[in-house]
Amino acid sequence: MRCCLDERKDVIRRILVGTFKWSNKDKFMETIEQIQDEIIEDFSLFDDWMQKYEYIIELGKSLPLIEEEYKKDEFLIRGCQSRVWMRAERKGDRMFFKADSDAIITKGLIALLIKVLSGHTAQDIAQADLYFIDRIGLREHLSLTRSNGLASMVQQMKRSTTLVYSGKQEEN
Amino acid sequence: MDAPIHNLKKRLVREARTDFPILHTTVNGRDLVFLDSAASSQKPRAVIDCINTYYREQNANVHRGVYSLSQTATQLFEDSREKVKDFISAKHSREVIFVRGATEGINLVAQSFGGKFFKPGGEIILSQLEHHSNIVPWQMIAEEKGMKIRVVPINSKGELMMDALEDMLSEKVQMIALNHISNALGTINPVKEISALARRYDIPVLIDGAQATSHGEVNVQELGVDFYVFSGHKMFGPTGIGVLWGKEKWLEAMPPWQGGGEMIETVSFEKTTFNELPFKFEAGTPNIAGSIALGAAIDYIGQFDMLEIVKYERELLKYATEKLKEIPGLRIYGEAAEKASVISFLIENTHPYDLGILLDKMGIAVRTGHHCTQPLMDFLGIPGTVRASMALYNDQNDIDRLVDGLVKARQMLT
């Protein structure tokens, strides 16, 4: 069993390396749908909830998502249980997001959201249907309960995109 | 040799678990371990059946109809009030007001009693341990009246600092509102001692008993308090029903809080006169099924010896505390000498939310977060805790599962 787990972790690590390379690119060839489908495929490799959450935790641990200076109240999205800080930035016609959380699972979920949405145009982001959350069995995290603020995070990503584009918010 | 005889009639607490259908279900593929009774307890078959029977066979509005069904419903409703009266050893059943829950009871007193008796420049004493429900209603009336809120501090074990409370007492204080048992830390407050102190200055005392009524005997006369509120759903009853008990002299003097049917004597557009106690405070059709089922919950608790419940839960708390302390990096918050079966804790380098999510995957329900006690969490300098709270239906196996689950979650997270 141990060796299987190690193999699994190796796959996770490789996926993570892919994530890093991928998010450093300036231009994005893949559509939001394509990225979601890739994530769904990645998750289909997991046999049980533990592997799935180990992966999410690894994602959360490995991604330094936002600089400490932005961990201020003005960047805070309030959930009842874990705190999320998020920053939207416009480069050319594309939006880039950085975010962080004090809870590692929330941070891992944010990493997935960023992977899907960051680097796309405002229009694509505003219209995006985030079906992957449902398909990888994480719908519980999107509930509008007083939990982790993931739902408000998605809302905030869409809203800040609209704001940045309509010029109501400075590019930061 | 009198004492053991009544014990013989009582059921053993360890039999209770079989009475709760939900405890025999699975969650995420595992047998459910329910450790969030401080938020809401599970319901025994007797309570579930009572609600079912009411709607199938007894449903009608109360205090109105001349027909048999309405009279049956009225009788059951008023019987339930009588049961509540006996349960908390109140003097009269007219002192028992049915409300939606402890929160509504506190709001009623704050608005009605406070509205009439509170004076500008006065003070309301609360404690660092309070639930938001026992803070916000007082802040609202204090602002309206131009009063000050004063907060009794706690020591490092999570106990009220009685010296500080005593120092705060003066003619200015117009209400002391405290919980009986802290929902976040489990501290059992010395209510009797507090009301004795309050009496020196004739200060009325309201006790939020939401966490107390299913974990030990509550005798409002012996406690010497003026108001006592609690919720049905935390004591094996349904949601949406609770009780405000108040001394008759206060309830008589207080104006109605909400207007509507039931609470009136006569109505004309020129002048309305109000019904007598307790109906004066029960505007509109009440939660009839809920009230009757609360009576069933009281009957259910009555099958057991309250002292045995206390002893059973104390032993479970001791077992859980010892076991949890064996987990590296685990710190317990709240170590009061008098403590109910609630354990708040954190594990080094992990976030309560992460622990809660992973425990849920293992079929274990705990509460995580600030437990609606943000001022307390700020005082402790933490964003929240993981809280395991137990009731008479929990056992050592639940604790073992919790400990195993935490060890596994900790491995995954650190």
Side-chain angles (χ1 to χ4, degrees):
Chain A
M1 276 310 289
R2 190 68 225 168
C3 80
C4 296
L5 195 64
D6 287 345
E7 267 175 41
R8 195 59 244 147
K9 284 198 168 170
D10 195 47
V11 172
I12 289 170
R13 238 171 266 127
R14 274 185 278 137
I15 292 170
L16 284 174
V17 172
T19 308
F20 278 124
K21 274 187 190 163
W22 177 86
S23 60
N24 284 336
K25 285 181 193 168
D26 284 340
K27 284 192 174 177
F28 296 87
M29 306 306 290
E30 292 166 299
T31 64
I32 288 177
E33 283 72 32
Q34 282 170 332
I35 301 165
Q36 291 195 78
D37 293 342
E38 272 174 26
I39 292 174
I40 293 165
E41 208 183 311
D42 286 353
F43 271 79
S44 71
L45 294 171
F46 304 129
D47 298 327
D48 61 17
W49 72 269
M50 265 190 82
Q51 291 179 353
K52 195 156 82 182
Y53 276 85
E54 273 177 350
Y55 174 60
I56 295 167
I57 291 163
E58 289 296 319
L59 270 178
K61 276 184 199 166
S62 314
L63 295 176
L65 291 167
I66 200 169
E67 296 85 356
E68 281 300 316
E69 59 185 296
Y70 294 111
K71 286 193 182 177
K72 288 187 291 197
D73 279 357
E74 56 185 298
F75 298 100
L76 189 65
I77 301 171
R78 289 187 193 281
C80 185
Q81 304 225 346
S82 58
R83 289 181 294 175
V84 173
W85 297 269
M86 199 195 68
R87 233 188 119 219
E89 203 179 352
R90 181 181 167 180
K91 280 184 191 162
D93 63 345
R94 291 171 189 274
M95 293 296 302
F96 292 81
F97 298 98
K98 284 185 173 180
D100 203 346
S101 173
D102 52 356
I104 199 78
I105 292 175
T106 308
K107 198 170 164 183
L109 296 170
I110 293 166
L112 287 171
L113 276 181
I114 288 181
K115 182 172 172 172
V116 171
L117 292 179
S118 203
H120 293 277
T121 63
Q123 200 188 359
D124 287 348
I125 291 167
Q127 289 172 354
D129 168 22
L130 298 174
Y131 56 84
F132 82 100
I133 296 168
D134 220 350
R135 294 276 298 278
I136 61 178
L138 295 174
R139 192 187 175 80
E140 69 216 53
H141 295 284
L142 252 189
S143 65
L144 286 169
T145 57
R146 297 173 291 176
S147 57
N148 62 3
L150 196 69
S152 39
M153 165 114 190
V154 173
Q155 273 175 4
Q156 187 65 33
M157 285 172 103
K158 294 193 171 190
R159 193 180 305 134
S160 57
T161 300
T162 320
L163 286 176
V164 168
Y165 265 83
S166 62
K168 283 178 191 157
Q169 188 184 303
E170 287 292 303
E171 288 183 23
N172 50 20
Chain B
M1 290 304 286
D2 282 338
I5 292 168
H6 88 274
N7 282 341
L8 287 176
K9 292 184 212 154
K10 299 283 182 182
R11 292 177 60 204
L12 295 170
V13 174
R14 62 182 150 81
E15 292 171 6
R17 193 178 179 85
T18 58
D19 302 332
F20 294 78
I22 210 169
L23 299 178
H24 305 279
T25 59
T26 57
V27 168
N28 291 321
R30 302 289 307 270
D31 290 340
L32 170 65
V33 169
F34 188 76
L35 292 167
D36 195 20
S37 296
S40 194
S41 69
Q42 295 303 345
K43 320 303 172 200
R45 212 168 277 111
V47 169
I48 299 167
D49 290 349
C50 172
I51 296 170
N52 197 319
T53 304
Y54 172 74
Y55 282 118
R56 281 172 175 276
E57 299 167 19
Q58 301 154 340
N59 177 56
N61 212 331
V62 292
H63 305 134
R64 286 170 178 77
V66 293
Y67 51 90
S68 301
L69 263 188
S70 174
Q71 286 175 6
T72 305
T74 304
Q75 188 63 50
L76 290 166
F77 182 73
E78 290 306 323
D79 283 352
S80 190
R81 199 189 302 277
E82 201 66 31
K83 285 176 191 173
V84 172
K85 180 213 121 187
D86 292 340
F87 182 66
I88 57 172
S89 301
K91 223 182 229 171
H92 312 289
S93 58
R94 58 182 176 274
E95 294 174 328
V96 173
I97 315 292
F98 284 127
V99 288
R100 277 190 297 152
T103 301
E104 191 175 62
I106 296 168
N107 277 281
L108 193 161
V109 176
Q111 290 299 315
S112 170
F113 183 93
K116 181 161 180 181
F117 295 110
F118 286 174
K119 299 279 179 290
E123 292 175 353
I124 300 168
I125 294 182
L126 309 177
S127 89
Q128 194 72 52
L129 290 172
E130 299 315 310
H131 189 281
H132 298 162
S133 296
N134 199 26
I135 299 173
V136 183
W138 302 113
Q139 282 175 329
M140 287 161 67
I141 188 75
E143 193 169 325
E144 200 182 311
K145 294 277 182 175
M147 297 168 75
K148 208 169 123 190
I149 302 280
R150 302 197 63 188
V151 182
V152 183
I154 54 174
N155 64 22
S156 61
K157 290 158 125 186
E159 297 163 323
L160 291 184
M161 292 172 75
M162 293 297 286
D163 293 354
L165 169 62
E166 203 172 340
D167 289 344
M168 285 179 191
L169 299 179
S170 74
E171 280 79 17
K172 278 189 186 168
V173 181
Q174 296 175 11
M175 178 63 77
I176 299 175
L178 306 168
N179 59 34
H180 196 161
I181 296 178
S182 153
N183 71 309
L185 303 185
T187 311
I188 302 175
N189 289 321
V191 172
K192 221 168 145 178
E193 202 180 318
I194 292 163
S195 50
L197 284 174
R199 221 168 295 134
R200 287 192 209 159
Y201 293 88
D202 280 330
I203 304 166
V205 176
L206 176 140
I207 297 298
D208 168 6
Q211 296 296 334
T213 43
S214 62
H215 303 287
E217 197 197 337
V218 171
N219 180 327
V220 291
Q221 295 192 71
E222 212 167 86
L223 289 173
V225 299
D226 298 83
F227 299 99
Y228 196 95
V229 299
F230 56 97
S231 298
H233 73 98
K234 292 191 203 280
M235 51 180 287
F236 319 122
T239 53
I241 187 69
V243 168
L244 158 65
W245 168 85
K247 276 186 180 161
E248 188 177 16
K249 66 163 181 175
W250 293 129
L251 295 176
E252 281 293 357
M254 285 157 59
W257 180 44
Q258 292 173 331
E262 188 90 6
M263 52 77 73
I264 49 88
E265 188 183 46
T266 61
V267 176
S268 70
F269 284 109
E270 290 70 38
K271 168 108 185 130
T272 292
T273 56
F274 301 119
N275 205 337
E276 57 191 9
L277 285 176
F279 311 112
K280 173 170 101 173
F281 291 108
E282 293 179 354
T285 295
N287 181 352
I288 306 167
S291 310
I292 297 170
L294 174 60
I298 289 172
D299 288 342
Y300 178 77
I301 296 170
Q303 294 177 15
F304 304 94
D305 178 359
M306 198 49 119
L307 288 176
E308 207 215 327
I309 295 178
V310 173
K311 192 165 159 268
Y312 181 88
E313 291 184 359
R314 197 173 288 162
E315 277 164 16
L316 202 54
L317 174 72
K318 189 166 169 271
Y319 181 77
T321 307
E322 281 166 7
K323 285 280 171 185
L324 285 170
K325 276 185 172 169
E326 287 170 12
I327 298 173
L330 186 141
R331 180 177 166 190
I332 290 175
Y333 290 84
E335 295 184 291
E338 291 297 319
K339 187 176 164 176
S341 52
V342 170
I343 307 183
S344 255
F345 60 88
L346 284 175
I347 295 178
E348 218 172 24
N349 300 322
T350 66
H351 192 281
Y353 174 78
D354 292 327
L355 289 171
I357 289 285
L358 297 177
L359 287 174
D360 174 55
K361 292 285 151 204
M362 298 180 246
I364 303 160
V366 292
R367 176 82 190 269
T368 59
H370 56 56
H371 318 297
C372 296
T373 57
Q374 281 179 1
L376 174 60
M377 295 298 133
D378 290 346
F379 179 82
L380 296 170
I382 52 177
T385 68
V386 181
R387 181 188 69 186
S389 57
M390 295 155 274
L392 55 78
Y393 43 66
N394 289 111
D395 57 19
Q396 291 196 353
N397 178 52
D398 292 336
I399 305 305
D400 293 342
R401 285 271 307 276
L402 171 68
V403 171
D404 289 350
L406 284 169
V407 168
K408 206 172 191 178
R410 183 177 169 272
Q411 270 170 3
M412 289 176 75
L413 291 165
T414 55

